[in-house]
Amino acid sequence: MTSTSVKPNLLPPGLVSNLQDVLSKRAGGEGDKTAESTDPPSTSEAADTVEDPNDSSKPIVLVTNGDGIESPGLTYLVEALVHQGLYNVHVCAPQSDKSLSGHSVTLRETVSVSSAEIKGATAYEVSGTPVDCVSLALSGALFSWSKPLLVISGINQGSSCGHHMLYSGVVAGAREALISGIPSLSISLNWRKDESQENDFKDAVAVCLPLINAAIRDIEKGIFPKSCFLDIEIPSSPLSNKGFKLTKQSMWRSTPSWQAISASRYPAGHFMNSQQSLGIQLAQLGRDASAAGAARRVTTQKKNVEIESTGAAGKSDFERVKKYFRLEFVDKEKEDMDEDLDFRALESGFVSVTPLSLSPHLESETQTAASNWISSALEEQ
């Protein structure tokens, strides 16, 4: 099911061997106890093992994502964390899909927050971006605790390799945590249209859960890297992965393609009836009159002030030129063949683990510290 060859640029052979053993047992072999320890439970199983979600004796884990609070990636991840009974799990996630929101925040607008029902966790859905969610959660305005031990952003539907990390809401959620000084992970599944299935998210959780547990353990010990967060990219067939590989962020990106949409799809008056249209025109005339009046008042109050085009402060909707476009990303040929790059490792079937910092270039000390931690943490699993 998995390759046993280990190249010099891979993580320790012990990790690959251990992971293969666990996955083979989950696939139907012997050793059910090991398999059960990493296999995320069903919703009913999680409900049977739910403990007090506000147990202050347990480390606090905050979960967010980019796909929205009802996405299967977040659902399976939270169920698995709750099922373990080791953590006080809190969720603060967008109420809708914000997967390509980048590191955007909501400013000068009110953000609404509603409680959400997730068994064993304290959860809220937010009418904002992943960065809004993390920022709000860490502000002290929403939760009673001061800060979580770890922030996990994911599991995202679709990879976030290369320059896609700049667009990615799930990566931005983890980055925002690092900005606030909180250790964090972003996790994505390399979803393939017409091939991937929802149950792949459950398998993805089983693959990355040992790394999550190792991170929490070493954060408590004070030996988890402090100057970076980890981006984890899981291949399309999680249980057939070839092991974990420490990778570097690539320069790969998809090409943005703006497609013109026929104006006939949005004819004049399409969104309103004639009375609404007339009302808008009258309102526009009122704004024009107000602008002209304001200009006259300024002119009388201040000498030598020139007001330009006061009689045409605006145009009606019927005078404006409107065009419609839709953005799509088109994959282009990947030229860089370095096997240590994130997308190359992912396409080769490895779980890519990339340390990312707030600096455009990862410092060598940070790279070394992250590499050492990843190697030692995963080797012990």
Side-chain angles (χ1 to χ4, degrees), residues 66-67 97-102 104 164 166-170 327 329:
D67 293 341
D97 187 353
K98 301 290 184 182
S99 55
L100 288 176
S101 60
S104 62
H164 281 217
L166 301 177
Y167 298 106
S168 172
V170 70
L327 174 63
F329 282 96

Side-chain angles (χ1 to χ4, degrees), residues 208-228:
C208 67
L209 200 56
L211 187 58
I212 293 173
N213 291 331
I216 294 173
R217 177 199 65 202
D218 287 349
I219 292 169
E220 291 182 310
K221 292 180 179 179
I223 58 176
F224 186 82
K226 294 181 174 60
S227 54
C228 68

Side-chain angles (χ1 to χ4, degrees), residues 44-85:
S44 60
E45 288 176 324
D48 293 338
T49 59
V50 167
E51 298 181 21
D52 181 7
N54 297 311
D55 186 350
S56 59
S57 66
K58 299 176 181 178
I60 297 170
V61 176
L62 175 67
V63 181
T64 190
N65 75 342
D67 293 341
I69 196 165
E70 295 184 350
S71 66
L74 182 141
T75 299
Y76 283 122
L77 175 60
V78 173
E79 283 185 357
L81 293 171
V82 169
H83 180 69
Q84 289 188 119

Side-chain angles (χ1 to χ4, degrees), residues 283-305:
Q284 183 64 55
L285 289 173
R287 287 194 294 271
D288 292 349
S290 297
R296 285 193 296 271
R297 288 194 295 275
V298 171
T299 303
T300 58
Q301 293 171 3
K302 295 184 179 181
K303 302 299 181 181
N304 302 322
V305 176

Side-chain angles (χ1 to χ4, degrees), residues 243-375:
F244 290 78
K245 178 182 280 192
L246 177 67
T247 52
K248 299 175 291 186
Q249 181 182 2
S250 65
M251 301 298 288
W252 176 77
R253 63 169 290 187
S254 295
T255 303
S257 175
W258 286 95
Q259 302 294 324
I261 305 300
S262 173
S264 63
R265 291 182 56 184
Y266 303 97
H270 175 71
F271 299 108
M272 62 194 76
N273 58 37
S274 58
Q275 290 182 339
Q276 289 174 317
S277 177
L278 177 61
I280 288 178
Q281 293 181 63
L282 291 174
Q284 183 64 55
L285 289 173
R287 287 194 294 271
D288 292 349
S290 297
R296 285 193 296 271
R297 288 194 295 275
V298 171
T299 303
T300 58
Q301 293 171 3
K302 295 184 179 181
K303 302 299 181 181
N304 302 322
V305 176
E306 196 171 309
I307 304 300
E308 186 177 6
S309 300
T310 58
K315 295 182 178 180
S316 71
D317 280 358
F318 289 104
E319 294 177 298
R320 296 180 185 274
V321 175
K322 286 189 176 181
K323 297 184 178 182
Y324 302 90
F325 298 88
R326 183 183 298 275
L327 174 63
E328 296 179 354
F329 282 96
V330 179
D331 286 350
K332 66 177 183 179
E333 190 67 27
K334 305 174 182 65
E335 299 175 356
D336 201 324
M337 300 300 292
D338 187 345
E339 293 295 329
D340 287 336
L341 295 178
D342 49 15
F343 77 86
R344 186 63 64 190
L346 188 64
E347 290 192 341
S348 297
F350 292 95
V351 179
S352 165
V353 183
T354 307
L356 298 172
S357 72
L358 300 178
S359 169
H361 303 287
L362 194 67
E363 300 296 335
S364 58
E365 296 83 0
T366 299
Q367 175 76 32
T368 300
S371 300
N372 291 341
W373 180 85
I374 294 169
S375 298

